[in-house]
Amino acid sequence: MKFTIKLGDKEYPIEVLEGEEEVKIKVGEKEFSFNKEEKVFLAKTKFEKRKFKEKKILAPISGTISEIFVKEGDFVKEGQKIFLLSAMKMENEIFSDFEGKVKKIFVKKGENVKKDQILLIGE
Amino acid sequence: MRILEFEKLESTQKKAKEIAQNSKAWTVVLAKEQTGGYGRKGNFWYSPRGGLYFSVILPKTKIEDLQILTILAAFCVAKILKEDFKLEPFIKLPNDVYVNGKKICGILTENIILGKEVKNSIIGIGLNTNIEKIPRDLQNVATSIKIELKKEVDNKELLKKILEELKEKLEIIS
């Protein structure tokens, strides 16, 4: 995989090569290699970070809230169904990606929402 | 492409949603009849034996592209009805296909969204193919290829054709 990163006015050609045991990243003439174990470790670190993210649900697309399955004060689990959002051509089942208490719901059933509008925050 | 065929299901859409997490993209759930077929807003879809009812587990795709795909799916079906069966289809947006003023096909896309991420997307298509008789209360609003053409069609072949078209369209837009 080859691509270019532009920082300021300078362009850096990058090439990523995946071998049996290692991943090589070439930046111009310089070469960096990682073994695959390290790569797994990096991915794990990234995953752990999720714990610190904000507890909120945004509208993934503009549409109408056709069902709300929770109320304020409810305790929700990760993967619990929270909203049904009907867009013009699709039904979207929105599940929680956090565990916690529902602090505030900003929308009512039947309300039109815009993409990225905050629907709910948790704590 | 893997096709899971069932004699009877409550809904192919429901089944596809159940298995989506552990299935490969382009897995197809096909049923000869549905006891609880549904369309948008949970509206009932009359699904007796003879019709073509299937749901496709789609590859991970941007939500905006899925919206376009749903509209394109209606065009795909309409194109096949026109070119292969010489019918005069009419697309009622967002996603129904009509022939002679009566509904012949319904399309529904459902997305499973976890937080901001689209986990799974399923497109379901109900096409009235070899349905001989439509119940009286639906006679003014629904029709089938068999009623329109007085002949049977090969559901499997039609399925293959629709799937190929869908795949091609998704590759173009995403």
Side-chain angles (χ1 to χ4, degrees), chain A residues 50 56-58 60-62 78-80 86-97 115-116, chain B residues 17 39-42 63-64 66-68 70-71 93-95 107-116:
Chain A
R50 286 185 60 205
K56 63 179 179 186
I57 295 176
L58 308 180
I61 193 167
S62 300
E78 192 174 330
Q80 186 173 335
S86 302
M88 191 166 65
K89 287 138 202 103
M90 296 184 291
E91 299 278 2
N92 302 283
E93 294 181 359
I94 304 174
F95 292 78
S96 170
D97 62 344
K115 182 180 160 85
D116 290 332
Chain B
K17 278 198 275 182
R40 281 203 319 142
K41 298 186 173 130
I63 198 159
E64 288 80 5
L66 288 166
Q67 218 167 2
I68 300 168
T70 311
I71 310 172
L93 290 171
N95 34 17
I107 297 161
L108 171 73
T109 300
E110 289 184 272
N111 299 314
I112 308 292
I113 297 162
L114 188 67
K116 276 208 91 168

Side-chain angles (χ1 to χ4, degrees), chain B residues 50-85:
Chain B
L52 176 59
Y53 319 108
F54 64 96
S55 296
V56 187
I57 297 168
L58 296 171
K60 280 209 166 50
T61 308
K62 272 195 291 181
I63 198 159
E64 288 80 5
D65 292 341
L66 288 166
Q67 218 167 2
I68 300 168
L69 181 74
T70 311
I71 310 172
L72 288 178
F75 279 95
C76 291
V77 172
K79 186 177 158 226
I80 293 169
L81 291 178
K82 190 175 170 79
E83 287 176 0
D84 294 12
F85 301 105

Side-chain angles (χ1 to χ4, degrees), chain B residues 1-7 9 12 15-16 19 23 26-32 53-55 57 156 159:
Chain B
M1 201 174 290
R2 189 165 152 240
I3 299 176
L4 305 171
E5 195 179 348
F6 296 87
E7 282 294 310
L9 280 179
T12 59
K15 185 80 187 171
I19 64 163
S23 303
W26 297 106
T27 298
V28 180
V29 176
L30 172 71
K32 287 184 180 161
Y53 319 108
F54 64 96
S55 296
I57 297 168
K156 280 275 172 67
L159 169 70

Side-chain angles (χ1 to χ4, degrees), chain B residues 80 84 99 105 111 133 147 157-158 160 162 165 167:
Chain B
I80 293 169
D84 294 12
V99 167
C105 176
N111 299 314
K133 263 190 177 168
I147 291 169
E157 214 167 279
L158 197 49
K160 233 178 95 187
I162 297 172
E165 289 262 354
K167 224 171 170 174

